[in-house]
Amino acid sequence: MIWLIGCHGMLGTEVSRRLKEKKIDFVATGHEVDITDFSALSDFAMNIIGKNIDFIINCAAYTNVDKAESESNLAQRINEDGPANIARLANQIHAILIHISTDYVFDGTDNLPFTENNRIVPIGVYGKTKAAGEIAVQKQLEEYYIIRTAWLYGHAGKNFVYTMLRLMNGRDSIKVVDDQKGSPTFAADLAEVIIKIIEQASSNSPLPYGIYHCTDSGEATWYDFACEIKKQGIELGLIDNKNCIINPCATEEYPTPAKRPAYSVLDKEKIQKTLGITIPAWQESLRKFLESPLFDKSRIE
């Protein structure tokens, strides 16, 4: 049995969909089970699911990077206390935990992709609480997978792709930051990797426990990402206003409460070699997202 926590978020929605497609038995929860309350977690596991939980997938997180600066206590409860409680429960019931983390645990001062062995140096409240969540999991468990990802977009929730398409359809010009670099990642691709980890962990040659990086391949600035969205959006008939101009700008021109890492590309060599997979290029996955029957055109009008 698999317990999916945070099933209504962007990634949780994709994981849930993939589990259903694969006909894998699972239970999914959202806000109805408070991850910051260990008793609530334990009661649900014991009384509702029973003790036969093999895997727990934790997709729950406080992800509003800017708002975290003023809601640090809430971010800390969800991103640190929550994973600590889930890991404690996983240890008690002998379940394997798959916990999702972020590129924001790094400060972004290097110019080479970050490996799993790089020292974590978060620079904002969001990154600090996610880093604390990683540490909490590692203190509680030996059987865990921490997957760091970045720049997620998907069919559920707000995301950069839907926002850009809507703005391009409604404005003559937009400004997009051109000095922050990362790897755009389709949540469905990450969901597929999570399923592969579970399948391999259930086999005779399980994936070694530990930290893994997983994003789509390649790197881009937000400006590069926006330009590709426009290009593909026009090709697929999703943009009526083909003359919208995308202007690059510096981070200083678009001030936000939270400081972002300037370079947060993650090295994916470990997970590709260990799982024997090839991660798709971010441009290819963007096309897959835009062409999907699940793409919600009402959100770009």
Side-chain angles (χ1 to χ4, degrees), residues 210-260:
I211 298 174
Y212 290 87
H213 289 172
C214 186
T215 67
D216 285 332
S217 65
E219 55 185 62
T221 66
W222 291 109
Y223 171 76
D224 297 331
F225 192 12
C227 288
E228 185 65 21
I229 292 168
K230 179 182 178 182
K231 173 180 173 290
Q232 294 194 22
I234 290 174
E235 291 172 353
L236 295 172
L238 298 173
I239 295 177
D240 298 323
N241 181 22
K242 298 179 182 180
N243 295 321
C244 177
I245 299 171
I246 307 173
N247 295 305
C249 71
T251 297
E252 288 74 19
E253 298 177 60
Y254 191 76
T256 56
K259 186 177 180 182
R260 268 92 167 151

Side-chain angles (χ1 to χ4, degrees), residues 48-272:
I48 306 300
I49 304 178
K51 295 184 179 181
N52 60 329
I53 304 170
D54 302 303
F55 295 91
I56 300 175
I57 307 171
N58 180 32
C59 294
Y62 183 106
T63 58
N64 191 320
V65 177
D66 288 321
K67 206 170 182 181
E69 297 296 313
S70 60
E71 293 186 344
S72 58
N73 289 337
L74 180 59
Q76 184 268 331
R77 287 177 57 217
I78 296 172
N79 291 344
E80 180 182 2
D81 295 349
N85 288 334
I86 294 168
R88 177 184 168 192
L89 177 64
N91 187 43
Q92 288 185 3
I93 64 176
H94 305 292
I96 298 170
L97 174 61
I98 300 175
H99 174 67
I100 308 303
S101 193
T102 174
D103 57 327
Y104 277 40
V105 299
F106 299 114
D107 60 8
T109 57
D110 290 344
N111 290 313
L112 291 173
F114 289 91
T115 73
E116 291 82 354
N117 295 322
N118 277 108
R119 187 168 66 96
I120 57 175
V121 188
I123 56 177
V125 170
Y126 168 69
K128 289 175 182 177
T129 58
K130 289 296 288 183
E134 288 187 9
I135 293 168
V137 167
Q138 293 174 81
K139 283 182 177 179
Q140 293 279 354
L141 284 172
E142 293 184 0
E143 297 182 344
Y144 66 84
Y145 299 105
I146 293 173
I147 305 175
R148 294 183 184 136
T149 193
W151 292 28
L152 278 181
Y153 64 92
H155 298 107
K158 297 179 181 179
N159 65 67
F160 186 78
V161 181
Y162 278 129
T163 298
M164 287 297 103
L165 288 169
R166 186 178 69 254
L167 292 177
M168 290 173 196
N169 273 323
R171 297 185 183 180
D172 294 330
S173 66
I174 57 174
K175 278 187 177 183
V176 183
V177 171
D178 195 31
D179 57 2
Q180 295 174 25
K181 186 172 286 187
S183 298
T185 305
F186 184 21
D189 291 339
L190 179 55
E192 181 63 28
V193 170
I194 291 171
I195 302 303
K196 288 183 182 297
I197 289 173
I198 290 173
E199 291 174 339
Q200 188 154 332
S202 304
S203 70
N204 294 326
S205 55
L207 192 72
Y209 297 118
I211 298 174
Y212 290 87
H213 289 172
C214 186
T215 67
D216 285 332
S217 65
E219 55 185 62
T221 66
W222 291 109
Y223 171 76
D224 297 331
F225 192 12
C227 288
E228 185 65 21
I229 292 168
K230 179 182 178 182
K231 173 180 173 290
Q232 294 194 22
I234 290 174
E235 291 172 353
L236 295 172
L238 298 173
I239 295 177
D240 298 323
N241 181 22
K242 298 179 182 180
N243 295 321
C244 177
I245 299 171
I246 307 173
N247 295 305
C249 71
T251 297
E252 288 74 19
E253 298 177 60
Y254 191 76
T256 56
K259 186 177 180 182
R260 268 92 167 151
Y263 184 88
S264 61
V265 177
L266 301 178
D267 186 299
K268 278 80 68 177
E269 182 178 2
K270 179 181 176 182
I271 199 163
Q272 290 190 103

